[in-house]
Amino acid sequence: MENNNAAYWIKHLNLQPHPEGGFYKEVFRSEMEVNRVSSTEKKQAITSIYYLLEGSDFSGFHRIASDELWYFHKGSPLLIHAIDLKGNYTALELSDATSGSLSVAVKAGVWFASEIPSKTGFTLVSCAVAPGFEFSEFEMAKKQHLVTLYPHLRSTIERLCR
């Protein structure tokens, strides 16, 4: 079987649809527990997933309560859009091309989305979250709310909100 298409990797890695778009599978959840400085609640130290986007699908704007590291594995370049708490916008390419980086860090609380700019092929990455990811700390953006906060980014927000 050919290993250079999305269908192969979705089946091979047993990926499932993700609420933000694309496909994923959690592959690691640390047994070690940590506390955030601001909380006494125990959290897993780190979690990790495989994540795949294909064609014109995208990861809609969302934010989480932890830092997230993205690592490129295979496929087309991926563009990660981020809006910090002050409304500063950045777009970082995750790829093995000379224009990209093999890893990208997204800070806790930052709104971010991702897409394949060419709208062709697929991108397979890993994401590591520390302290570990919990869906209870995951927030999908509401398009109108983000546009109200960051009107200068209206076109990007409207295109990448679910």
Side-chain angles (χ1 to χ4, degrees):
M1 183 173 244
E2 194 64 40
N3 72 357
N4 64 356
N5 64 55
Y8 169 83
W9 289 106
I10 291 167
K11 182 177 179 181
H12 179 70
L13 298 174
N14 194 27
L15 304 180
Q16 302 301 314
H18 197 291
E20 74 193 43
F23 296 86
Y24 82 108
K25 180 180 181 180
E26 185 174 273
V27 293
F28 181 76
R29 182 168 287 272
S30 177
E31 292 179 13
M32 183 181 295
E33 294 183 328
V34 296
N35 294 88
R36 284 196 177 101
V37 172
S38 60
S39 173
T40 58
E41 182 182 353
K42 296 279 188 189
K43 310 290 294 175
Q44 268 74 37
I46 190 168
T47 56
S48 182
I49 64 169
Y50 287 126
Y51 183 70
L52 183 141
L53 277 177
E54 180 178 19
S56 61
D57 195 8
F58 62 91
S59 165
F61 272 106
H62 63 287
R63 64 182 174 182
I64 61 175
S66 298
D67 293 338
E68 183 167 356
L69 301 171
W70 290 57
Y71 300 98
F72 181 81
H73 292 303
K74 296 185 85 53
S76 301
L78 185 73
L79 198 58
I80 299 174
H81 304 267
I83 307 170
D84 72 16
L85 300 177
K86 295 179 180 178
N88 298 311
Y89 168 81
T90 56
L92 301 167
E93 181 181 319
L94 187 65
S95 75
D96 60 357
T98 56
S99 55
S101 296
L102 292 174
S103 64
V104 167
V106 178
K107 292 182 180 180
V110 168
W111 290 107
F112 66 105
S114 63
E115 66 178 334
I116 299 171
S118 68
K119 309 287 189 240
T120 61
F122 73 97
T123 304
L124 176 63
V125 302
S126 285
C127 300
V129 176
F133 178 83
E134 296 292 338
F135 271 105
S136 64
E137 298 179 336
F138 170 86
E139 180 184 3
M140 286 299 297
K142 292 182 175 40
K143 186 183 302 187
Q144 192 52 51
H145 175 71
L146 276 192
V147 168
T148 300
L149 290 174
Y150 312 113
H152 61 291
L153 299 171
R154 175 184 291 276
S155 64
T156 301
I157 291 167
E158 287 182 346
R159 188 168 49 78
L160 294 173
C161 268
R162 296 210 172 266

